[in-house]
Amino acid sequence: MQERLQQLKQAALSRLSEVTDMQQLQELRVKYLGKKGELTEILRGMGSLSAEERPVVGQLVNEVRSALESAIADKQASLEQAALEARLASEALDVTLPGRPLPAGTMHPLARIIEQTEDIFIGLGFEVAEGPEVETDLFNFEMLNLPKNHPARDMQDSFYITEEILLRTQTSPVQARTMLDKGGKTPIKIICPGKVYRRDDDDATHSHQFMQIEGLVVDKGVRMSDLKGTLLTFARQMFGENQQIRLRPSFFPFTEPSVEVDIQCIFCGGKGCRTCKQTGWIEILGAGMVHPRVLEMGGYDPKEVSGFAFGMGVERIAMLKYGIEDIRHFYTNDVRFLRQFNRV
Ligand code: DAH
């Protein structure tokens, strides 16, 4: 029996050395140490032994059992260690590899101009308003002192959807909408950026869709000098602190008097060049004192309050500021063009 035990131990140990995974190990454990295992079977046979032999064999059985248990435990530990190492190797991450930069978009130049303009006017106490691009004839024209058949409607060839609904040709309808919203309260100080649409043929300086920024101030005692000071502040913050502006008489149905506003040519500094047609000045926007009829239709008494308004083309400002020669660049989305306007 002692011999059998020694053989069993040898056989178990030699099989153990061939075990390569947890399942084989478990099978081996059951085979030798399990309830129906070989060692248990030998134990059962101990009844036939003599009283002297029994303790000797019993001790040997225990020795064999603990030798096998510890060999199996060692094997298990080394299998687990190997599995861990294999996993670490397969999931290894080289943290020293340089990162792959994600391409970052750039801000569209028109969005930049709008954001800068908003910042300038917010700094002057203005709020930013919005209005619909699909507009009614009433707001786009009539409320701005442009009744049907008024010849000045020809200045803005329109996309009509029905007789009464059109794509707005200007951001000026937001003036009328804001006045009605305010319900006669003062002050009003808003700017409104947005898209506008006109039936123009596209070329280097015209686009059937472009952007404007409208401005409106209504309060007691608003004067032309307030308009001039506001626009001078804008021109200096947008184009440089030495900028000058020049007001020329003009006509818009919704303002009286009306002006066109020039800045000193930013290409020649006022000396005269091709861009400014040798005048030294470049037009940037239209403006004026809000027409009494427009105030009245908006629910304000022109004897009590006055106002000024202005409207500028965003593309034009951007073209001047960045020296862009063709308005179509803004809409063709050529990334080589857009990438020049990065975020810093
Ligand atoms: N809406 C005019 C246009 O599209 C621009 C303009 C001129 C707006 C004078 C105004 C203004 O508010 O007072 O040409």
Side-chain angles (χ1 to χ4, degrees), residues 51-320:
E52 297 88 59
E53 269 181 320
R54 215 174 285 161
V56 181
V57 174
Q59 200 187 344
L60 190 58
V61 167
N62 282 338
E63 272 170 31
V64 170
R65 174 188 296 279
S66 68
L68 287 184
E69 276 172 351
S70 86
I72 287 174
D74 286 353
K75 186 74 183 186
Q76 177 163 350
S78 81
L79 281 178
E80 279 169 359
Q81 181 65 25
L84 180 65
E85 270 160 22
R87 199 167 139 211
L88 285 176
S90 75
E91 291 176 6
L93 204 68
D94 182 356
V95 290
T96 65
L97 272 180
R100 219 176 295 144
L102 285 178
T106 57
M107 199 165 182
H108 194 279
L110 297 179
R112 272 173 87 107
I113 294 290
I114 288 173
E115 203 166 85
Q116 281 176 26
T117 306
E118 285 178 354
D119 283 349
I120 294 170
F121 281 97
I122 286 168
L124 294 171
F126 283 66
E127 282 171 41
V128 178
E130 276 182 15
E133 288 171 30
V134 178
E135 188 50 285
T136 57
D137 186 273
L138 179 72
F139 280 111
N140 195 76
F141 290 127
E142 300 221 14
M143 297 279 288
L144 296 167
N145 201 29
L146 268 148
K148 291 211 162 69
N149 304 319
H150 192 290
R153 283 198 179 201
D154 290 348
M155 288 161 74
Q156 302 180 0
D157 250 341
S158 317
F159 287 111
Y160 274 92
I161 293 165
T162 69
E163 285 266 300
E164 295 300 327
I165 297 174
L166 72 161
L167 299 181
R168 68 179 174 193
T169 58
Q170 48 187 352
T171 42
S172 306
V174 181
Q175 289 188 28
R177 289 184 171 274
T178 306
M179 282 191 258
L180 290 184
D181 278 356
K182 286 270 181 175
K185 283 203 220 67
T186 51
I188 295 176
K189 281 178 92 175
I190 54 125
I191 58 163
C192 165
K195 293 195 189 90
V196 300
Y197 303 83
R198 292 190 194 173
R199 279 198 309 147
D200 271 331
D201 290 328
D202 292 0
D203 62 24
T205 53
H206 294 86
S207 169
H208 61 281
Q209 180 217 294
F210 57 103
M211 299 196 83
Q212 288 189 331
I213 300 175
E214 191 77 14
L216 173 70
V217 171
V218 177
D219 204 353
K220 284 198 171 72
V222 175
R223 297 176 303 183
M224 191 92 182
S225 52
D226 297 317
L227 170 63
K228 193 171 178 187
T230 303
L231 294 178
L232 181 61
T233 304
F234 165 74
R236 289 192 167 162
Q237 291 197 28
M238 183 58 84
F239 293 107
E241 54 188 280
N242 296 321
Q243 257 302 337
Q244 297 296 333
I245 59 169
R246 176 175 86 164
L247 273 51
R248 283 178 292 108
S250 184
F251 171 79
F252 298 101
F254 27 87
T255 43
E256 182 58 38
S258 301
V259 291
E260 266 164 344
V261 180
D262 300 339
I263 54 168
Q264 225 159 30
C265 178
I266 49 175
F267 300 105
C268 63
K271 286 195 209 79
C273 65
R274 262 183 56 204
T275 310
C276 62
K277 302 200 183 78
Q278 309 303 331
T279 63
W281 295 95
I282 291 187
E283 185 198 322
I284 59 161
L285 55 85
M289 300 307 289
V290 181
H291 196 289
R293 283 282 299 133
V294 173
L295 286 172
E296 240 165 41
M297 285 186 278
Y300 288 80
D301 181 352
K303 291 191 212 74
E304 294 279 316
V305 299
S306 53
F308 68 73
F310 57 86
M312 60 179 108
V314 180
E315 284 80 354
R316 186 164 177 76
I317 305 283
M319 287 168 89
L320 290 173

